[in-house]
Amino acid sequence: MSDCRREWNREDELPVYLAGPIATGPNQRKSYGMFSSVEGAFDSKTIDFDNYAVGRKGSRTPRSGSRERVLDSGDPAGKTSSEGREGSLTDSPGEAEDVRPGVVVRYPSGMESSNGESERLLIKGGRVVNDDQSIYADVYIEDGLIKQVGENLVVPAGVKVIEANGRMVIPGGIDVNTCLMKSHLGTQPADDFLQGTKAALAGGTTMIIDHVTPEPGQSLLEAFERWQEAADKKACCDYSLHVDVPQWDETVKEELELLVQDKGINSFQVYMAYKDLYQLSDSQLYEAFSFLKQLGAVALVHAENGDVIAQEQTKILRMGITGPEGHALSRPEELEAEAVFRAITLGNRVNCPVYITKVMSKSAADTIAQARRRGCVVFGEPITASLVTDGSHYWNKNWAKAAAYVTSPPLSTDPTTPDHLNTLLASGDLQVVGSAHCAYSTSQKAIGREDFTLIPEGTNGVEERMAFVWDKAAAMGKMDENQFVAVTSTNAAKIFNLYPRKGRIAVGSDADVVIWDPDSSKIISAKLQQSASEYNIFEGVECRGGPALVLSQGRVVYEEGQLQAQQGAGRFIPRKHFPDYAYQRIKIRDQAKSKQGVTRGMYDGPVHDVFATPKYVTPSPSAKTSPTSHQPPPIRNLHQSNFSLSGAQADDFVPRRSGHRIVAPPGGRSNITNLG
Amino acid sequence: DTGHSHPSTLNDRLLIKGGRIVNDDQSFHADIYLEDGLIKQIGDNLIVPGGVKTVEANGKMVIPGGIDIHTHFQMPYRGTTTVDDFAQGTKAALAGGTTMIVDHVIPDPGCSLMEAYDQWRQWADEKTCCDYSLHVDITHWNDSVKQEVDSLIKEKGVNSFQVYMAYKDYYQMSNSELYEVFSFLAERGGIAEVHAENGEIIAEEQARMLQMGITGPEGHVLSRPEELEAEAVFRAITIASQTNCPLYVTRVMSKSAADIISQARKKGNVVFGEPITASLGTDGTHYWSKNWAKAASFVTSPPLSPDPTTPDYLNTLLSSGDLSVTGSAHCTFSVAQKAIGKDDFTQIPEGLNGVEERMTLIWDKAVTTGKMDENMFVAVTSTNAAKILNLYPRKGRIAVGSDADLVIWDTDSIRTITAKTHNSAAEYNVFEGMELRGAPQVVVCQGKIVLEDGNMHIISGVGRFIPCSPFPDFAYKRIKARKQLAVLRAVPRGMYDGPVSEFSLSRGGTPSASARTSPTKQPVRNLHQSGFSLAGPPITPDDIPIRPAGRRIVVPPGGRSNITSLS
């Protein structure tokens, strides 16, 4: 199977003039293997040299006779996607277009395109790309589930057939971070669940996980129910919810337990920023992490040092800097890195998996990568914005444009950041891509026109997410198509315990499938995107790759630029606690790391008197209430006391490695300055 | 404030002949003539008055006397004091070749810094046998403390102040307070010293250990794992860098904390790390000793790392210059005092010995192993400390005009450390049984011989307080240059005159509490210029150059070589 994949890639990505000849050269496709494609289905991947002759644009009709062989059913419905695409997709002449035929949908005779229930679908001739391998196979879908994957499938008659024509068939994207109902000072984001999920589907994302953001003092459970109600009415694709923990007390604990046990929530976000509002102290974080770990939930962390940010904000406002540049100046990236480091330390101490939302800077990403190298269970989520653009826009003269980029942590002002984050994403040091889509209109952003601290925070990105990961990482050769699937979908499904229902094309999985067109290309513009916000922070950026067809719950929802989303079709997907991907290691470490005290003879020497009213308070307040005073004393052998005040002990030299004299041999030691 | 001027010091004249003078920058052969407690002449064939006492160095190293930048002598603790007072402690220091100590003044939270300072001055002036200086610990923070810090810097000769990130509900400061302290010190030219451990997590871990029934000294190290030290070091460096304040991390005890410091220095942060004798010489495996008294004698914070490769690693970083100075954190308690915590490790008084062993141990672990040369040895035991305290070149260098504190160092003598022969009053020595090479042969303090042929001639109370002035060049030259560069400016914009959404400040609140009181109404605006436009793609000419992300990168046929480069 890897042969198949490699050869495909080579032919696919090599320039035309280097690609091997069709069926006889060294690149001859091996067929009849265990996972090889349907016989004959891909012999047709030929290079039509006529199309590349100088001065001639390729014709848009199917080019070679061999292709007709593929469409042997005789149904001449060969309309290529490039023909059907709407204006947003600009065809780059001669390059992307015409290399391959588009996706073709054939309807069974007597049946028109229907949005009816229990649609049956066969995706023929695609290359199924999962996170672990790519295989040529057909996919048969029924009742919103993937029923069969393989060659020569036996399917009922009258099934709608989608000809993928060798394009990638990937699991639909999962956007792990959206905020479609996060109110700011009483205003709701411009994109609600309807608009937001439409944008998601148009970008190839078939599931979102939204953040429930209760205000401090509000009930988590009520907030969750409000979110669920709104989403059930409006969402066009499946969704799940993270719940943010704005404060820490006993009621919150009870609600968390309820949410995990009964409501299917396994991830909760805590904040290290927003002082006096959402921010938790280190002690509270410790308790929250301990508690979440007991529940088997993943701790999401908004990592920024809120104390220092508050100080910096005051300082910068006092200097008269009130515009969006103040946002970036008051939240330098080292504060993000510091908080990430602290969160990881806490998580490691408690042995709780930590997930850093919105990795925006190189230093934060590096901190995560280093921690993973030390063995910490930590996941990092860069977002669309941090993978594509940078913080130089905060200095834009156009206030509304500068404000559109305001999000927290802010985009890094270092222009090499996107490239670095894409590299770490490709290498696996960062695991998932979210969008942190939280779109506010310009008039909403203008709430902070005189004070940057009041600007609602959030940028768009749900629609652009997959395409940009493809453009910046896969099309650049940083990651392969399997890693692309992993970071846009599979890893998210694994971390949040949706796998393999989501994030994989396999028998039994949900029929959230995308046919990906790596060659399409478009220029992002707010006018053409689904989001309701006036500004798109990727305005004018050209981007390669995009979905040719999107299936959500087994229904075609996006096809050739046409969105056919159905409001309210989205289901809430409950998630079980203790996801293996995060908790397997945690459980084993718990067993391995149980600590034991030293059994000693009782100290029976003199004890210095301490004042009854100690001037010195114990270092920890908890020590005062510690159960040591009323605890039965540990079992001691009173006959054995190895205490002695005089001189050296027999055991003194046993564990004392540092006591050995190191004599430098005459020739010197080679590893003497070795840092290991 | 110049302290005592003992009549006997005035007439002391001394000639050191035939030595090799070793400073931090070079070594050379020369004679040294001392008079009135100062170095008067250096060179060959010096012309000196008749009848001067002559010491023959016989080609041995003559180095500036050591400066132990971190001691706790005569420290009050729950109604008792550490067993080494200023007389005992400075005696031990001199016996080890250290001719100046810098002690920590620790005011109780809520008490006056100035009163505590006066108290320490009194104790020290009475008893010290060598020159000394003081750090003052800031154990709480408010406006009156600010005033006191200000006058300590201006009038009392203190330029370094320690803050605590550990000891929750007692000494510990919040991040906001740290920010304010660091900002203030940066303004006044002080050095921010920090005890770096995450106190909040330690408190949680301590409670957990005690709940698990672990009450012995091993609980101390289990509840203070080294990653909490590294975390706090990281945070302190971040806040210091944010406030542009030089940072000094006291007691670097673990590899990970040292790594953080060395990474930060590579990034350009002004940060100094101080490993102590114990972290350079021994490790935390002793906390599991079956002998409670022995295990307890190692208790200090941050604890010694249980990783036995730590001392070697710290010595390497000290040699490479990533760590800058060495202290001893000498703070000794008797076994009876340690036994206050016999049933609860959180009650064990923290501290161990090291003032006497410091120089010998570094010589043995770093110089005889070939990690550092003799000049670096002088730098980390004396010169760097003098530079940070702004006492250079009065201290930390053998030069004409410098104080006559110097040591003739015998590189070959070997001795075994044991509590039986050490000068400290403690019953346990954490270096017990170690065989160390290198020791002072002659120690000259204030121009007088205090150690010769193994005999000590010390006079209690001759030590002078040496005032330190603010803005030491070693730390502040870079800080000053950066201050001039790092001026923040607002973007001059047309006023936004588009629609504004309705919003309520009562609901939700602002992200920052401080924002509400911000003076945002005043900024000057040009009302005639508006750069705002809602229409269309807002591509203005000044957009284009700052938009590298917008350029399409086409993969060339041959591929790019640096495509997966991390840079």
Side-chain angles (χ1 to χ4, degrees):
Chain A
M1 64 204 143
S2 60
D3 276 349
C4 269
R5 183 173 130 208
R6 201 172 304 125
E7 279 173 23
W8 178 278
N9 284 347
R10 273 168 63 187
E11 269 192 30
D12 188 15
E13 285 163 22
L14 280 173
V16 173
Y17 46 85
L18 291 179
I22 294 89
T24 53
N27 286 338
Q28 185 178 7
R29 202 171 299 284
K30 291 186 188 72
S31 43
Y32 314 117
M34 204 204 307
F35 292 102
S36 76
S37 56
V38 178
E39 189 185 347
F42 298 98
D43 293 349
S44 61
K45 187 176 178 303
T46 64
I47 307 299
D48 191 341
F49 284 99
D50 283 350
N51 277 312
Y52 294 92
V54 180
R56 279 175 63 182
K57 284 279 184 78
S59 73
R60 288 178 178 187
T61 48
R63 296 172 293 263
S64 65
S66 59
R67 177 150 310 110
E68 301 316 330
R69 257 186 283 127
V70 186
L71 310 167
D72 56 354
S73 60
D75 188 347
K79 189 175 99 168
T80 61
S81 64
S82 30
E83 278 173 305
R85 241 166 248 149
E86 59 173 37
S88 62
L89 301 167
T90 57
D91 300 325
S92 39
E95 187 201 1
E97 189 195 7
D98 299 331
V99 176
R100 245 184 289 159
V103 175
V104 180
V105 182
R106 280 178 293 136
Y107 299 106
S109 50
M111 223 176 116
E112 267 310 295
S113 166
S114 69
N115 289 331
E117 298 299 307
S118 73
E119 200 167 353
R120 290 168 177 181
L121 273 173
L122 180 67
I123 301 172
K124 257 185 97 78
R127 187 158 43 101
V128 173
V129 180
N130 276 319
D131 70 318
D132 54 345
Q133 61 172 6
S134 310
I135 57 169
Y136 292 100
D138 299 343
V139 180
Y140 173 65
I141 290 162
E142 195 182 310
D143 296 336
L145 294 176
I146 296 170
K147 292 286 185 187
Q148 296 180 58
V149 179
E151 301 161 36
N152 306 320
L153 301 180
V154 180
V155 299
V159 162
K160 179 168 156 185
V161 176
I162 297 168
E163 281 291 349
N165 281 327
R167 289 195 198 283
M168 291 164 57
V169 178
I170 60 173
I174 300 174
D175 190 339
V176 280
N177 187 350
T178 63
C179 296
L180 302 177
M181 248 178 88
K182 183 185 181 181
S183 67
H184 175 83
L185 303 177
T187 67
Q188 291 284 324
D191 288 334
D192 61 1
F193 274 107
L194 173 63
Q195 206 64 38
T197 51
K198 271 165 83 175
L201 288 172
T205 296
T206 54
M207 175 168 184
I208 59 157
I209 310 185
D210 201 74
H211 277 273
V212 176
T213 49
E215 292 298 327
Q218 284 178 358
S219 157
L220 268 57
L221 213 57
E222 275 170 30
F224 165 77
E225 276 157 6
R226 268 196 297 131
W227 250 258
Q228 202 183 19
E229 195 188 331
D232 280 340
K233 267 188 215 146
K234 290 182 178 169
C236 312
C237 66
D238 287 350
Y239 72 96
S240 193
L241 296 170
H242 305 294
V243 177
D244 292 9
V245 180
Q247 84 262 15
W248 188 252
D249 51 44
E250 288 304 313
T251 39
V252 168
K253 270 168 124 170
E254 283 166 23
E255 290 190 316
L256 289 183
E257 205 164 349
L258 213 66
L259 284 165
V260 170
Q261 308 291 355
D262 301 344
K263 301 292 181 183
I265 304 291
N266 71 3
S267 50
F268 298 91
Q269 171 153 310
V270 291
Y271 291 87
M272 298 171 81
Y274 306 108
K275 194 183 175 189
D276 299 332
L277 189 62
Y278 302 132
Q279 186 177 325
L280 300 187
S281 72
D282 286 358
S283 305
Q284 289 171 324
L285 289 172
Y286 184 97
E287 283 174 27
F289 284 6
S290 310
F291 191 72
L292 291 176
K293 177 231 174 124
Q294 278 172 26
L295 294 177
V298 177
L300 316 182
V301 180
H302 177 113
E304 279 185 295
N305 189 317
D307 288 340
V308 178
I309 288 171
Q311 296 273 1
E312 291 283 321
Q313 285 179 334
T314 322
K315 188 179 97 186
I316 282 167
L317 286 171
R318 214 187 290 133
M319 291 166 72
I321 300 176
T322 58
E325 69 276 14
H327 181 74
L329 291 173
S330 63
R331 305 176 101 102
E333 73 174 68
E334 52 183 348
L335 300 189
E336 187 192 349
E338 188 280 314
V340 168
F341 195 94
R342 186 148 42 101
I344 292 170
T345 308
L346 274 155
N348 199 38
R349 206 73 305 272
V350 178
N351 202 16
C352 169
V354 171
Y355 177 104
I356 309 291
T357 57
K358 295 202 252 195
V359 175
M360 305 299 280
S361 65
K362 285 162 85 165
S363 41
D366 287 343
T367 306
I368 293 171
Q370 280 166 20
R372 288 177 65 85
R373 231 147 273 159
R374 286 199 309 265
C376 303
V377 182
V378 56
F379 306 105
E381 169 208 280
I383 64 169
T384 321
S386 62
L387 290 172
V388 177
T389 183
D390 61 60
S392 50
H393 304 278
Y394 293 120
W395 277 263
N396 197 293
K397 294 268 187 192
N398 179 341
W399 187 90
K401 187 176 172 205
Y405 289 84
V406 170
T407 186
S408 284
L411 288 158
S412 167
T413 44
D414 178 350
T416 62
T417 304
D419 199 48
H420 187 81
L421 294 183
N422 277 297
T423 305
L424 290 192
L425 191 63
S427 71
D429 282 346
L430 300 173
Q431 291 72 40
V432 265
V433 185
S435 68
H437 188 91
C438 184
Y440 289 102
S441 69
T442 298
S443 63
Q444 287 173 317
K445 290 268 183 187
I447 290 169
R449 70 198 183 285
E450 289 172 351
D451 179 352
F452 63 85
T453 63
L454 296 177
I455 300 174
E457 293 170 354
T459 57
N460 63 295
V462 69
E463 183 171 1
E464 299 84 0
R465 187 179 66 102
M466 307 238 329
F468 271 123
V469 175
W470 183 267
D471 182 78
K472 298 286 173 195
M476 296 280 287
K478 283 185 197 252
M479 64 168 70
D480 59 20
E481 55 190 19
N482 304 91
Q483 180 71 359
F484 170 72
V485 168
V487 299
T488 54
S489 176
T490 312
N491 289 349
K494 285 178 176 170
I495 293 171
F496 297 113
N497 226 356
L498 296 163
Y499 189 80
R501 179 177 178 186
K502 303 280 183 188
R504 186 168 185 84
I505 294 185
V507 174
S509 298
D510 277 0
D512 289 349
V513 177
V514 171
I515 299 182
W516 189 256
D517 181 358
D519 301 320
S520 79
S521 158
K522 72 196 255 185
I523 294 171
I524 306 289
S525 161
K527 284 181 199 157
L528 303 167
Q529 298 297 94
Q530 298 289 335
S531 167
S533 60
E534 298 105 320
Y535 272 89
N536 189 308
I537 59 166
F538 312 111
E539 188 75 40
V541 181
E542 192 176 352
C543 163
R544 215 176 337 179
L549 184 133
V550 179
L551 293 178
S552 171
Q553 300 175 15
R555 270 195 304 268
V556 177
V557 290
Y558 178 84
E559 186 186 353
E560 296 170 8
Q562 299 300 319
L563 197 61
Q564 301 152 13
Q566 198 178 328
Q567 181 172 353
R571 302 163 297 182
F572 173 73
I573 310 288
R575 295 174 289 135
K576 282 215 179 68
H577 52 163
F578 291 111
D580 270 352
Y581 195 65
Y583 267 94
Q584 239 172 25
R585 285 176 289 170
I586 295 285
K587 283 177 186 166
I588 294 167
R589 285 176 197 192
D590 268 346
Q591 289 162 9
K593 275 207 313 196
S594 57
K595 285 174 183 131
Q596 280 184 334
V598 175
T599 45
R600 285 192 181 86
M602 194 178 179
Y603 175 86
D604 50 7
V607 180
H608 197 278
D609 282 332
V610 186
F611 280 163
T613 50
K615 256 174 80 188
Y616 184 90
V617 189
T618 61
S620 133
S622 48
K624 286 171 217 149
T625 55
S626 70
T628 44
S629 43
H630 13 264
Q631 217 184 21
I635 303 150
R636 289 198 188 89
N637 185 347
L638 293 175
H639 303 290
Q640 251 185 5
S641 163
N642 51 10
F643 173 73
S644 152
L645 265 179
S646 59
Q649 301 290 312
D651 71 299
D652 275 359
F653 299 95
V654 179
R656 201 164 219 181
R657 294 203 36 197
S658 47
H660 295 302
R661 175 88 186 285
I662 303 161
V663 180
R669 281 171 53 190
S670 59
N671 61 345
I672 217 142
T673 49
N674 184 354
L675 272 174
Chain B
D1 279 345
T2 47
H4 298 246
S5 55
H6 216 269
S8 65
T9 57
L10 294 172
N11 299 320
D12 262 341
R13 293 168 176 180
L14 202 60
L15 179 67
I16 297 171
K17 267 185 92 77
R20 187 159 50 92
I21 297 174
V22 179
N23 276 323
D24 70 321
D25 54 346
Q26 60 170 354
S27 312
F28 55 96
H29 289 275
D31 300 341
I32 307 168
Y33 173 62
L34 314 175
E35 195 182 308
D36 296 337
L38 295 176
I39 297 171
K40 290 288 184 184
Q41 295 179 56
I42 294 176
D44 296 328
N45 310 316
L46 300 179
I47 300 161
V48 298
V52 166
K53 180 177 162 109
T54 303
V55 178
E56 283 291 343
N58 288 325
K60 290 207 163 68
M61 288 167 58
V62 182
I63 59 175
I67 299 174
D68 188 337
I69 198 166
H70 187 164
T71 64
H72 298 275
F73 295 149
Q74 215 167 324
M75 185 186 86
Y77 174 82
R78 295 174 81 170
T80 171
T81 51
T82 52
V83 291
D84 288 324
D85 62 6
F86 277 100
Q88 196 76 35
T90 51
K91 185 181 170 199
L94 288 169
T98 296
T99 56
M100 177 174 180
I101 57 126
V102 189
D103 205 75
H104 276 270
V105 175
I106 310 181
D108 277 316
C111 296
S112 158
L113 269 58
M114 197 59 84
E115 278 170 27
Y117 166 84
D118 289 337
Q119 180 65 68
W120 253 261
R121 280 292 306 274
Q122 192 196 328
W123 286 334
D125 284 341
E126 272 168 18
K127 290 187 174 172
T128 47
C129 314
C130 66
D131 288 348
Y132 73 98
S133 205
L134 294 173
H135 307 290
V136 175
D137 292 7
I138 300 175
T139 47
H140 59 294
W141 186 246
N142 55 37
D143 280 337
S144 79
V145 173
K146 229 171 163 174
Q147 294 287 320
E148 290 188 313
V149 169
D150 196 35
S151 50
L152 282 168
I153 292 177
K154 284 186 180 140
E155 297 153 23
K156 299 294 182 179
V158 175
N159 77 353
S160 45
F161 297 85
Q162 171 158 311
V163 290
Y164 292 84
M165 298 170 82
Y167 305 109
K168 193 184 174 188
D169 299 333
Y170 196 56
Y171 295 146
Q172 187 179 321
M173 292 215 173
S174 71
N175 292 337
S176 309
E177 287 171 325
L178 290 175
Y179 184 96
E180 283 176 22
V181 174
F182 288 6
S183 306
F184 186 74
L185 289 176
E187 227 172 79
R188 300 299 147 103
I191 305 276
E193 299 185 308
V194 61
H195 176 115
E197 277 185 296
N198 189 317
E200 304 223 347
I201 308 182
I202 288 171
E204 301 277 349
E205 291 279 313
Q206 285 180 334
R208 193 164 69 94
M209 289 302 147
L210 290 171
Q211 250 161 34
M212 288 165 72
I214 299 177
T215 57
E218 68 277 13
H220 179 75
V221 65
L222 290 174
S223 62
R224 304 178 101 103
E226 71 174 71
E227 52 183 345
L228 301 189
E229 187 191 348
E231 187 281 315
V233 169
F234 197 103
R235 184 150 41 101
I237 289 171
T238 305
I239 298 174
S241 144
Q242 208 46 42
T243 51
N244 202 16
C245 176
L247 182 74
Y248 178 104
V249 180
T250 58
R251 289 197 263 210
V252 176
M253 305 299 280
S254 67
K255 286 160 85 167
S256 40
D259 278 341
I260 301 281
I261 291 171
S262 96
Q263 277 167 25
R265 287 173 68 90
K266 259 158 230 153
K267 281 194 302 219
N269 294 36
V270 182
V271 54
F272 307 104
E274 169 209 280
I276 65 169
T277 322
S279 61
L280 292 168
T282 184
D283 61 57
T285 51
H286 305 277
Y287 292 117
W288 281 267
S289 169
K290 292 272 187 190
N291 179 343
W292 187 92
K294 188 187 164 196
S297 71
F298 286 84
V299 169
T300 188
S301 285
L304 288 159
S305 166
D307 177 351
T309 63
T310 305
D312 198 47
Y313 193 84
L314 294 182
N315 276 296
T316 305
L317 290 190
L318 191 62
S319 311
S320 69
D322 283 354
L323 299 173
S324 315
V325 277
T326 53
S328 68
H330 189 90
C331 179
T332 44
F333 291 97
S334 68
V335 171
Q337 286 171 323
K338 289 268 183 188
I340 292 168
K342 70 186 169 58
D343 295 323
D344 177 354
F345 64 85
T346 64
Q347 308 290 318
I348 301 173
E350 294 169 354
L352 36 67
N353 64 296
V355 69
E356 186 175 355
E357 299 82 3
R358 187 178 64 103
M359 301 199 38
T360 294
L361 193 122
I362 294 167
W363 185 268
D364 184 83
K365 298 285 176 196
V367 185
T368 63
T369 56
K371 283 179 197 264
M372 66 168 70
D373 57 23
E374 55 192 22
N375 304 97
M376 193 64 182
F377 173 73
V378 168
V380 299
T381 54
S382 175
T383 311
N384 289 350
K387 285 180 176 170
I388 289 171
L389 294 166
N390 221 355
L391 297 173
Y392 188 81
R394 178 178 177 185
K395 302 280 182 189
R397 186 169 185 83
I398 295 179
V400 173
S402 298
D403 277 0
D405 290 346
L406 41 87
V407 173
I408 300 179
W409 190 258
D410 182 357
T411 55
D412 300 321
S413 93
I414 295 174
R415 59 176 178 164
T416 306
I417 306 293
T418 165
K420 285 172 194 154
T421 57
H422 71 194
N423 284 288
S424 161
E427 293 112 317
Y428 271 86
N429 188 313
V430 295
F431 311 105
E432 186 76 35
M434 261 188 222
E435 212 181 32
L436 299 177
R437 185 188 288 235
Q441 189 177 38
V442 176
V443 177
V444 178
C445 180
Q446 299 180 2
K448 287 186 308 173
I449 295 174
V450 293
L451 174 76
E452 195 181 19
D453 303 328
N455 298 316
M456 298 201 71
H457 318 281
I458 55 163
I459 307 163
S460 190
V462 298
R464 301 163 299 181
F465 174 74
I466 310 289
C468 306
S469 50
F471 295 109
D473 273 352
F474 194 58
Y476 267 92
K477 256 187 183 158
R478 286 175 286 169
I479 295 284
K480 282 178 186 165
R482 288 174 197 191
K483 231 174 231 168
Q484 287 166 1
L485 287 175
V487 179
L488 303 179
R489 283 190 194 85
V491 175
R493 283 193 183 88
M495 191 182 181
Y496 174 87
D497 49 8
V500 180
S501 287
E502 296 275 311
F503 68 100
S504 59
L505 266 178
S506 52
R507 257 184 74 190
T510 64
S512 137
S514 50
R516 284 175 213 138
T517 55
S518 64
T520 50
K521 304 297 172 210
Q522 287 90 4
V524 184
R525 290 201 188 85
N526 185 348
L527 296 173
H528 304 288
Q529 253 183 5
S530 165
F532 173 73
S533 150
L534 263 182
I539 296 183
T540 52
D542 57 280
D543 279 351
I544 291 151
I546 51 167
R547 198 158 217 186
R551 294 197 204 109
R552 175 91 182 282
I553 299 159
V554 180
V555 184
R560 282 172 52 190
S561 59
N562 61 344
I563 219 148
T564 50
S565 141
L566 268 176
S567 57

